[in-house]
Amino acid sequence: FSAYQNRADDSVYLNWDGSGTPPAGISDSSYKFINCSNLTSLNFYDSNIRGYIPKFIGNSSLTSIDLRGCEGLIAGRPGKADIKCLYEDTFEEARNVSSFLLSANNTNFAGGIEKNTFVPLNESLVTLYLYANGRFTGDLPTLDGCSALRDIRTNGQGWTGPLPNFSSASNLYEAHLYDNNFTGSVKYTNKNVLNYLNVSNNNLTSVSNTFNAPNLKYFYASNNNFSGTLPDLFLSCPKVEYIQL
């Protein structure tokens, strides 16, 4: 099934598999749950939902979206010229989403995520999983303003650009960022809640002297391009139990 319906006859586009030409008349306003202001959760875990990820229009109470194992998803959206997996207005009318879990293994689900896609969720987003079997392209969208972020998992996706610094995420607890192409330095400062950090297998060049995570227990950063002297991690991370460099 699809997240879109034909408003003319209230039917769901059951026979559209997400490939080829979309059904005539499909648009953002064809979103099946448009203006469902009391909707709190969309759970399509391991389902056969197909087609575009919609713009979540009029879903002001929506807090949880689970699209893990949805192999029929495709990139793009009605009326969009550029093919992206997610767009900057995706959550414009669903600003209370705290959990967004996405995992799709489909050759038709490939491309970038627009830079400011998660900005509308700056105050609400707690848990973020982004997986497309390595078919995402470009930089990870900005998450610097996501003050509530606690758990991010997007390893093995081929992201480029600087390692995200999560500057506003004072409660960040777990970050799975390994097996990407991030550059720059590990320079998380005063991440007092951070427990698990894995940045292995990237293109990082240093661990900053300002790196400070007093409750970090698991720190994995092997297979990078580190040079020079590393800071004393037992001072910056006094509770660390596992280190792999």
Side-chain angles (χ1 to χ4, degrees):
F1 60 97
S2 161
Y4 293 86
Q5 68 180 22
N6 187 334
R7 293 286 167 185
D9 60 13
D10 203 37
S11 64
V12 178
Y13 294 121
L14 291 171
N15 297 319
W16 184 44
D17 67 358
S19 61
T21 304
I26 192 171
S27 67
D28 280 345
S29 61
S30 304
Y31 168 48
K32 185 171 178 60
F33 304 107
I34 190 171
N35 295 328
C36 291
S37 59
N38 293 321
L39 180 69
T40 60
S41 177
L42 286 172
N43 188 342
F44 295 111
Y45 175 74
D46 204 23
S47 74
N48 66 344
I49 189 169
R50 297 178 178 275
Y52 308 124
I53 295 177
K55 177 181 179 180
F56 299 101
I57 301 173
N59 295 157
S60 57
S61 298
L62 188 60
T63 60
S64 176
I65 302 170
D66 192 342
L67 296 171
R68 288 175 297 167
C70 294
E71 312 301 2
L73 294 176
I74 65 168
R77 219 179 69 208
K80 296 290 189 181
D82 294 333
I83 303 300
K84 303 287 186 181
C85 294
L86 292 168
Y87 296 88
E88 291 182 350
D89 61 353
T90 298
F91 301 102
E92 197 171 61
E93 298 186 39
R95 293 174 176 260
N96 288 308
V97 172
S98 62
S99 176
F100 183 72
L101 312 179
L102 171 62
S103 172
N105 182 7
N106 179 354
T107 56
N108 291 320
F109 190 75
I113 295 178
E114 289 191 339
K115 179 180 179 180
N116 294 319
T117 292
F118 296 104
V119 168
L121 308 182
N122 272 351
E123 297 179 2
S124 62
L125 188 63
V126 175
T127 305
L128 178 63
Y129 294 6
L130 294 173
Y131 292 100
N133 201 36
R135 296 188 177 95
F136 289 128
T137 59
D139 294 359
L140 184 70
T142 182
L143 298 167
D144 288 349
C146 292
S147 58
L149 189 64
R150 185 170 173 83
D151 184 356
I152 177 168
R153 307 186 188 202
T154 188
N155 49 285
Q157 299 309 300
W159 296 114
T160 58
L163 184 72
N165 61 29
F166 309 114
S167 55
S168 298
S170 58
N171 290 316
L172 186 66
Y173 183 81
E174 195 159 342
H176 298 245
L177 304 170
Y178 57 95
D179 293 340
N180 285 294
N181 295 302
F182 290 124
T183 59
S185 177
V186 181
K187 52 185 176 182
Y188 301 121
T189 303
N190 296 324
K191 288 290 183 272
N192 296 329
V193 180
L194 189 61
N195 175 268
Y196 178 98
L197 176 62
N198 194 334
V199 294
S200 299
N201 298 308
N202 280 286
N203 296 315
L204 305 173
T205 54
S206 66
V207 178
S208 171
N209 288 327
T210 63
F211 177 53
N212 178 255
N215 288 297
L216 187 69
K217 289 185 178 181
Y218 306 90
F219 180 42
Y220 302 96
S222 59
N223 296 318
N224 279 288
N225 298 318
F226 294 142
S227 60
T229 303
L230 291 172
D232 187 340
L233 295 176
F234 293 101
L235 289 177
S236 57
C237 311
K239 294 184 178 181
V240 70
E241 297 177 5
Y242 301 91
I243 298 177
Q244 189 176 77
L245 295 172

